[in-house]
Amino acid sequence: MELSFVEENYLKAIYQLELENPSGVSTTALAEKTKTKPASVSDMLKKLAQKELIFYKKYQGAKLSKSGLQAALLVIRKHRLWEVFLVEHLSFSWDEVHEVAEQLEHIKSKLLIQRLDQFLGFPKEDPHGDPIPNENGEIIEIPKILLSDFTTGKKAQISAVKESSPLFLQYLDKIKAGIGSNIIIQERIAFDNSLEILLDGRTLYISEEVAKNIYVTED
């Protein structure tokens, strides 16, 4: 089934919102996510439902069908593979790749994406630590926990970021905190829940908000 750029973007947005709310995605949430008027969102949801890509009932929200899920995961697969390519082979930094990958993710050639995956060595994660769906739309999730919820004194590695805005990623670059960095929470500051951490052997202080947007895996 040939889908337009807009349809693909909606399916991807519904997928991302469903991760946060599995019971269904509201028109309001989707309008905020896509920066679109609710009336336009309702029209698109009706079109996607007619194509059997989603289940949708007015006032009850939308959920991806099996075919809609496969379509959304294909877009995400292409997006994340292109991010890897841009970082590893075109010297983009991880805070620059999202907008470019947003354009490249709509390329239709299945053979190109197969060759791209092979060329990159079949990567499992993108530069932000997000898992890359395989050709069959399967995702292998690596167990991870938010740094804000991690145990004080235990060793961990930064495995992904929850927030991927350029400003946040640039901040992580500034403090030299990247995927694979070793980290230990040394102390939780009771006053504001900020953390004293040991990051690759350096002592730093980070805010609670920063800690809530970094995923770690126990070392």
Side-chain angles (χ1 to χ4, degrees):
M1 183 189 302
E2 191 76 13
L3 300 176
S4 69
F5 287 13
V6 176
E7 289 171 329
E8 288 185 337
N9 285 335
Y10 267 86
L11 292 175
K12 185 175 69 170
I14 293 170
Y15 172 81
Q16 292 166 338
L17 290 170
E18 265 197 80
L19 293 177
E20 303 169 9
N21 188 6
S23 62
V25 176
S26 70
T27 301
T28 302
L30 197 51
E32 291 176 359
K33 181 78 171 177
T34 59
K35 297 180 174 60
T36 311
K37 294 181 179 179
S40 299
V41 171
S42 295
D43 289 342
M44 177 55 70
L45 291 178
K46 290 174 185 175
K47 290 179 183 178
L48 295 174
Q50 289 171 356
K51 292 186 176 184
E52 299 183 345
L53 294 165
I54 64 169
F55 303 106
Y56 171 64
K57 286 186 179 180
K58 197 173 182 180
Y59 306 121
Q60 293 184 25
K63 288 177 65 68
L64 292 172
S65 66
K66 185 176 180 180
S67 58
L69 176 60
Q70 286 296 109
L73 287 170
L74 175 59
V75 177
I76 290 167
R77 168 176 164 78
K78 291 187 287 186
H79 182 102
R80 293 177 180 174
L81 283 172
W82 282 119
E83 286 193 336
V84 175
F85 176 77
L86 291 167
V87 168
E88 292 187 357
H89 297 280
L90 293 184
S91 300
F92 279 77
S93 61
W94 66 341
D95 62 285
E96 297 174 323
V97 293
H98 181 72
E99 287 188 7
V100 182
E102 286 275 291
Q103 301 170 53
L104 294 169
E105 70 186 21
H106 299 293
I107 291 174
K108 303 298 182 184
S109 173
K110 185 177 181 180
L111 180 59
L112 173 60
I113 301 306
Q114 289 174 336
R115 296 276 176 86
L116 177 64
D117 194 14
Q118 182 180 25
F119 174 74
L120 294 171
F122 306 103
K124 297 293 187 291
E125 297 171 349
D126 73 8
H128 309 107
D130 294 315
I132 298 174
N134 66 20
E135 200 169 4
N136 298 318
E138 299 165 335
I139 292 182
I140 300 174
E141 290 278 4
I142 298 173
K144 56 184 183 288
I145 186 172
L146 288 172
L147 180 60
S148 55
D149 298 329
F150 196 65
T151 307
T152 301
K154 281 193 173 183
K155 294 180 181 179
Q157 284 190 333
I158 295 177
S159 54
V161 290
K162 183 178 180 181
E163 169 66 53
S164 57
S165 68
L167 286 177
F168 183 65
L169 297 178
Q170 288 164 16
Y171 167 76
L172 293 184
D173 278 341
K174 185 175 180 179
I175 64 172
K176 298 180 181 177
I179 304 300
S181 292
N182 297 304
I183 190 167
I184 300 173
I185 299 174
Q186 294 186 306
E187 184 182 358
R188 296 178 184 275
I189 312 302
F191 174 69
D192 59 0
N193 288 324
S194 59
L195 301 179
E196 179 188 331
I197 62 170
L198 194 65
L199 180 68
D200 288 333
R202 297 171 290 121
T203 298
L204 297 171
Y205 291 88
I206 60 172
S207 69
E208 180 184 23
E209 187 66 22
V210 169
K212 284 181 175 179
N213 283 288
I214 295 175
Y215 284 110
V216 296
T217 302
E218 189 170 350
D219 203 348

